[in-house]
Amino acid sequence: MGELRLVASQEVQEMLGVSRTRAYQITNSKSFPDPVAVLSVGRIWRTEDVEGWIKKHRPDLQDAEG
């Protein structure tokens, strides 16, 4: 198994290229992956889950990552 890569809200915001408020709205949508943990600093997601969501729901961002 490969290395476990995790992201928090700030990284999700950067991956999406949106404001903190918009990132909060997106991460609370039913289509967004569930966090793998909820810590005192906030929610944590697996990077591959977020990347998969971006590929499906925001394909325009794939080219920007490239």
Side-chain angles (χ1 to χ4, degrees):
M1 184 173 176
E3 182 178 314
L4 181 62
R5 298 181 308 137
L6 302 172
V7 291
S9 296
Q10 178 67 34
E11 289 86 5
V12 172
Q13 176 185 336
E14 292 169 5
M15 291 169 78
L16 292 169
V18 297
S19 69
R20 183 169 50 175
T21 301
R22 183 66 183 133
Y24 179 81
Q25 292 169 341
I26 291 169
T27 59
N28 280 301
S29 71
K30 291 182 181 184
S31 68
F32 202 79
D34 291 330
V36 294
V38 179
L39 308 174
S40 61
V41 295
R43 296 174 294 164
I44 306 295
W45 293 268
R46 290 183 345 159
T47 302
E48 64 188 54
D49 292 344
V50 176
E51 289 171 344
W53 185 92
I54 289 171
K55 185 178 285 189
K56 182 176 181 182
H57 297 274
R58 297 288 303 270
D60 57 304
L61 295 178
Q62 289 185 90
D63 295 332
E65 289 179 354

